[in-house]
Amino acid sequence: MLDRVAFLRNEIRRHDRLYYVEARPEIGDADYDALYRELEALERAHPEWASPDSPTQRVGGAPLTAFRQVRHAPPMMSLDKTHSKGELAEFDTFIRRQLPDEVWDYVVEPKVDGVAFALVYERGALARAATRGNGEVGDDITANIRTIRSVPLVIPDAPEVLEVRGEVYMTRDGFAALNRREEEAGREPFMNPRNATAGSLKQLDPREAAARPLEAVLYAVGAVKGADFQTHGEMLARLAAWGFRTPPWQRLCVDMRAVLAAVDELQTLRHSFPFEIDGAVVKVNRRDLYAPLGSTAKSPRWARAYKYEPERALTRIHAVTVQVGRTGVLTPVAELDPVLLAGSEIARATLHNADEIARKDIRIGDKVWVVKAGDVIPAIESVAAGQRTGGEQVFAMPAACPVCGGEVMRIAGEVAHRCVNPACPAQLVNRLEHFASRNALDIRALGEAVAETLVAQGKARTPLDLYALTVAQLEALMVGDAQTGLRKFGKNAQTVVDALEAARDLPLDRWLFATGIPNVGVTVAENIALAHADYFALTDSPTLQQVVRLETLGEEARHVNPRSRDRPPRTEEERRTRQEQHLHICGEIGVIGDSLVERGLARKKPGTALPPEYIVDVKVESAKATLRFFASDYGNAWVERMRALGINPRAPQRRAIASDAPLAGLTFVLTGTLSQPRSAFAERIEAAGGAVQDAVSKNTRYLVAGADAGGTKLNKAQNLGTEIIGETQLEALLGVQKSVSVAGPTAEPKTGGYRQEELF
Ligand code: IVH
């Protein structure tokens, strides 16, 4: 069995390398998944065989609160830049003068436009990864780098210590897909792939980093013990043999003439790489010349960067159209007079959102500079304002959805405008596609073309309609269009029906993601799923209401804070009142925050007290969107359909499931005089999943002290460090979950402290 584990790990590593590094896979997804699942199952059954080097352990560990600092030895240098061929020739002359008796050649490589980083392997195992930082000290980003599948966790026949250095980057396609996701979630898109990469590496939660399309290429070594390389070329070959991705294009050049030709060749190839390159790097090949050539304070004297000018083109916007995405987000697009840019003809450029248009003051009829920001759709860099004729028109986002005529809204806290009609045809196709996508229910035979056909023929208007389709109906479906050719869906029909049946048993996180709620991506769905027992517990979820309440209270605390710089109290009396209010709110924050901590959904920021601050795993916008969805007519109808279909996904079993009851696992002791009999409070605590004890013990979470409380219980609580709260704080805990004990259609109206924004 242990042999099998070792075999599977090696086999998966080999396939990872073939797929991610060498781009020549030997097996398909399904076979790979089978190996992976078998390994996961064996590791689950035998926790004693766990190993951090296992391919299953790329994404793991709790989110960090901050990055550790790492000192680089030797420091990570940057490169001196040259902007002309003349300057490159001077580089050659300089070396000739320094080393009159030597003969050397050069290596030319692309300058990858990403974020520099370093990897340290100790006895062949990845021990550490760090950003360049200021060159001397960087951030420890090991957890994030481990999620990049082209970075090996172990390397064969490794020297004792091997530090490799290179660049983390995103491909243009990966970046475009990420930005589409960001825009659909109503978030500000990233400016370019480098920004997106840097932002991804700064994620404290490795699961966030894992969801980003990060890649890595290695082109240098730092500290090495137990290996030696004569030339740069030899070093690159050894890195490749160890399983690292190295620059995909390299030229060995015997002299500066050959270098200049290579630089030109690379420039013509510049746009054929799947990622951005912003120049060429010219390096002396012989490593034994590095020491005699030495370095300046920042850069080695044996290498130079040659920067290519970013390409831009001037053209005119003749119209602005609006696209509607899966979640109803409206994206304005500039329709351009066609122009040649970076090797292709450009006729459209994304304008992202209304803010972006206003910021750049882009008008219809404007002459604009277009750049390729790494996106497949290029971006408008700036307006050539000097060329305005006066006839340009300011663009306004439409008040009605261009696809369905439904209402368009701008949600608080989002940059995006959205069509809020969930029955919008633009969203129907996308909703079906999303529902069937890999991270959702993974109904493989159901792709875009099938979704379009089903919607166009009225066979499925919402994803759950799929469950009403018969094999015969699906078999007869003609998929495709006149251009691509029509074909019968045929035997794929059975596959879809089987996959849908199998999907009934998928866990809660997959179903929640499949539901297609704005702001609820894979990670958020996983986090929410961990705190709920099943799908129906999501409707009216007290836990999500607490997340929202915590945010509201934070704002209230800031507002009344007597030490506020923006709004200082004007009188002593006001100061005192506000101090009291502030303390009260801070207490409530602590109680709600701690209860979220208790259920594994939040962590307290150390050292914060007034108010205590929490890092909550579910963003407030996601919590609001989920509550809003399940409170909407569409959401209600959806839940009813799920019920009728007998589908109630349960929380994933991988990790401990916290009950959805807000006080689950919390033990209370009541003392002193309360405003109602203690038994009334005890009943409410128990209805919310908590327990009430008679005496304070080390298991007691809260001692609720009423008026004239005193004596043994208080003393005991103080000795044990048990938290002592008052009736108001208890009410805060109970208040946000009033409806829990009366769940069902007769539940009290949701007054969980959040304003109900009608989205659906
Ligand atoms: S060599 C000591 N090679 O460009 C020399 N750098 O300003 C180490 N870069 O910080 C760098 N592609 O982030 C080298 N093929 C390549 C590169 C490359 C991109 C980046 C790197 C460096 C910056 C130079």
Side-chain angles (χ1 to χ4, degrees):
M1 281 297 238
L2 190 52
D3 281 358
R4 182 72 184 157
V5 169
F7 167 80
L8 288 168
R9 286 180 184 162
N10 273 330
E11 212 33 25
I12 292 168
R13 279 180 198 131
R14 192 171 72 83
H15 289 300
D16 277 347
R17 177 170 170 174
L18 285 166
Y19 185 89
Y20 293 104
V21 179
E22 300 178 22
R24 47 183 192 98
E26 278 178 8
I27 57 173
D29 286 359
D31 292 337
Y32 179 90
D33 288 349
L35 292 174
Y36 197 93
R37 273 198 297 267
E38 186 186 345
L39 177 58
E40 271 185 330
L42 283 172
E43 287 179 345
R44 230 188 344 261
H46 296 277
E48 69 277 15
W49 296 340
S51 158
D53 296 336
S54 172
T56 59
Q57 302 305 305
R58 282 195 176 269
V59 188
L64 307 171
T65 46
F67 293 112
R68 239 170 28 92
Q69 300 287 291
V70 178
R71 183 162 287 280
H72 299 297
M76 287 180 77
M77 303 252 233
S78 65
L79 296 173
D80 273 351
K81 293 180 187 69
T82 56
H83 295 275
S84 69
K85 300 266 170 75
E87 277 181 287
L88 264 189
E90 280 168 25
F91 166 51
D92 187 56
T93 315
F94 164 80
I95 302 174
R96 209 173 293 283
R97 230 180 273 133
Q98 295 291 305
L99 307 168
D101 303 324
E102 298 291 352
V103 178
W104 67 92
D105 38 26
Y106 294 101
V107 175
V108 179
E109 295 165 2
K111 185 167 180 320
V112 182
D113 195 10
V115 176
F117 83 125
L119 294 168
V120 178
Y121 289 82
E122 287 167 358
R123 284 174 301 283
L126 176 59
R128 213 160 31 258
T131 60
R132 196 177 90 98
N134 62 10
E136 305 274 345
V137 177
D139 287 339
D140 184 332
I141 50 164
T142 315
N144 288 346
I145 293 296
R146 285 175 62 94
T147 67
I148 305 177
R149 307 245 259 176
S150 58
V151 171
L153 297 180
V154 281
I155 51 178
D157 311 317
E160 199 182 327
V161 176
L162 175 67
E163 181 185 1
V164 278
R165 294 175 173 180
E167 211 81 0
V168 186
Y169 63 92
M170 276 182 200
T171 62
R172 276 190 278 269
D173 288 351
F175 169 72
L178 172 64
N179 257 5
R180 267 199 303 277
R181 290 206 299 272
E182 290 295 300
E183 287 187 285
E184 285 192 345
R187 286 188 293 266
E188 194 76 59
F190 292 102
M191 269 218 315
N192 55 44
R194 185 164 34 78
N195 274 341
T197 304
S200 304
L201 292 179
K202 288 209 188 89
Q203 297 296 320
L204 290 166
D205 185 347
R207 280 174 300 176
E208 289 291 335
R212 305 287 178 86
L214 295 173
E215 309 267 355
V217 61
L218 287 308
Y219 48 63
V221 290
V224 180
K225 215 189 274 172
D228 193 24
F229 322 98
Q230 304 300 308
T231 63
H232 181 68
E234 181 195 336
M235 187 260 298
L236 290 180
R238 293 283 292 283
L239 291 187
W242 276 316
F244 295 101
R245 185 185 293 158
T246 51
W249 185 97
Q250 302 156 19
R251 281 280 179 279
L252 184 63
C253 302
V254 291
D255 57 12
M256 198 26 76
R257 257 177 59 158
V259 167
L260 296 177
V263 166
D264 282 343
E265 184 190 349
L266 183 59
Q267 186 155 16
T268 64
L269 294 173
R270 184 174 171 195
H271 303 294
S272 62
F273 292 100
F275 47 84
E276 297 269 287
I277 70 169
D278 60 344
V281 181
V282 183
K283 296 172 180 171
V284 170
N285 196 25
R286 267 176 62 184
R287 289 173 55 89
D288 63 323
L289 299 183
Y290 289 6
L293 285 169
S295 58
T296 65
K298 280 210 196 118
S299 350
R301 290 209 173 85
W302 44 264
R304 286 288 185 282
Y306 177 85
K307 290 272 269 188
Y308 298 131
E309 278 303 308
E311 285 182 53
R312 47 170 60 73
L314 191 64
T315 186
R316 192 176 149 274
I317 301 183
H318 61 258
V320 173
T321 53
V322 174
Q323 287 179 345
V324 186
R326 165 175 77 80
T327 53
V329 167
L330 270 56
T331 305
V333 177
E335 305 291 339
L336 307 167
D337 293 344
V339 63
L340 205 63
L341 174 68
S344 52
E345 198 183 73
I346 305 301
R348 314 184 78 201
T350 176
L351 293 168
H352 298 299
N353 53 59
D355 280 359
E356 172 92 354
I357 297 178
R359 190 163 50 236
K360 294 185 174 164
D361 187 22
I362 296 168
R363 304 182 194 174
I364 301 164
D366 265 337
K367 281 276 181 69
V368 289
W369 286 104
V370 189
V371 288
K372 276 224 169 164
D375 212 330
V376 259
I377 309 177
I380 307 273
E381 189 189 54
S382 60
V383 173
Q387 302 203 22
R388 280 202 173 141
T389 61
E392 294 79 11
Q393 284 169 353
V394 175
F395 167 79
M397 280 302 247
C401 169
V403 174
C404 71
E407 192 189 348
V408 169
M409 271 181 52
R410 190 166 185 169
I411 315 289
E414 289 190 359
V415 291
H417 285 73
R418 284 176 196 271
C419 162
V420 294
N421 171 17
C424 172
Q427 296 177 57
L428 296 186
V429 173
N430 287 318
R431 275 173 181 272
L432 285 187
E433 247 187 286
H434 174 75
F435 189 74
S437 66
R438 198 186 170 119
N439 291 324
L441 302 193
D442 199 15
I443 316 289
R444 300 214 180 167
L446 207 162
E448 187 178 356
V450 183
E452 271 169 6
T453 311
L454 289 171
V455 170
Q457 299 187 3
K459 296 228 160 59
R461 293 192 58 75
T462 82
L464 291 177
D465 292 343
L466 294 171
Y467 278 97
L469 294 173
T470 63
V471 175
Q473 270 175 318
L474 279 166
E475 261 171 1
L477 207 65
M478 298 301 285
V479 184
D481 55 36
Q483 256 181 358
T484 53
L486 279 173
R487 61 199 148 72
K488 235 183 168 175
F489 198 46
K491 66 176 174 10
N492 281 331
Q494 189 66 52
T495 319
V496 167
V497 171
D498 290 348
L500 281 166
E501 281 312 303
R504 286 172 175 273
D505 297 327
L506 285 175
L508 180 56
D509 53 332
R510 299 277 295 274
W511 272 93
L512 176 55
F513 177 69
T515 308
I517 301 169
N519 284 319
V520 180
V522 173
T523 314
V524 171
E526 273 172 17
N527 285 332
I528 293 181
L530 285 176
H532 294 82
D534 58 27
Y535 199 87
F536 299 122
L538 293 170
T539 69
D540 215 8
S541 157
T543 303
L544 295 177
Q545 292 181 34
Q546 283 190 333
V547 172
V548 178
R549 178 82 180 131
L550 195 62
E551 165 97 355
T552 315
L553 285 170
E555 278 161 23
E556 281 175 19
R558 268 190 295 285
H559 187 71
V560 301
N561 190 345
R563 299 205 189 143
S564 157
R565 289 220 188 94
D566 310 332
R567 216 178 66 91
R570 274 159 304 176
T571 61
E572 176 55 22
E573 197 192 332
E574 185 189 341
R575 195 193 61 77
R576 241 180 289 125
T577 322
R578 276 170 58 176
Q579 182 156 24
E580 235 167 68
Q581 290 171 329
H582 189 245
L583 275 176
H584 181 81
I585 296 169
C586 291
E588 204 179 325
I589 290 178
V591 173
I592 293 181
D594 288 351
S595 113
L596 289 172
V597 170
E598 207 98 16
R599 269 161 302 126
L601 260 194
R603 274 146 298 119
K604 192 168 174 176
K605 277 197 198 162
T608 60
L610 281 178
E613 289 174 42
Y614 297 85
I615 303 164
V616 183
D617 288 337
V618 175
K619 297 215 172 64
V620 69
E621 294 308 331
S622 308
K624 279 187 187 170
T626 308
L627 289 167
R628 224 186 270 137
F629 176 86
F630 286 109
S632 70
D633 290 347
Y634 184 88
N636 279 326
W638 175 274
V639 169
E640 282 319 308
R641 286 286 291 282
M642 295 271 293
R643 247 187 250 282
L645 288 164
I647 302 173
N648 184 12
R650 318 232 155 234
Q653 309 234 304
R654 289 176 283 111
R655 291 186 247 171
I657 305 159
S659 163
D660 61 314
L663 305 187
L666 301 184
T667 307
F668 292 75
V669 171
L670 308 173
T671 185
T673 314
L674 303 167
S675 65
Q676 292 166 42
R678 281 189 209 168
S679 58
F681 280 105
E683 226 174 85
R684 288 174 62 197
I685 289 171
E686 277 159 11
V692 179
Q693 293 171 323
D694 289 327
V696 176
S697 73
K698 64 180 192 322
N699 298 327
T700 311
R701 182 67 180 80
Y702 297 110
L703 174 64
V704 184
D708 43 65
T712 44
K713 281 179 182 166
L714 267 185
N715 284 339
K716 185 98 187 269
Q718 270 154 358
N719 288 340
L720 287 170
T722 308
E723 207 166 322
I724 302 167
I725 61 174
E727 188 178 321
T728 37
Q729 285 157 316
L730 174 62
E731 279 295 349
L733 267 177
L734 289 163
V736 282
Q737 51 78 50
K738 271 183 193 146
S739 52
V740 80
S741 52
V742 281
T746 53
E748 291 175 36
K750 283 165 286 300
T751 51
Y754 71 95
R755 207 159 24 89
Q756 194 130 6
E757 284 151 313
E758 281 308 319
L759 173 59
F760 284 98

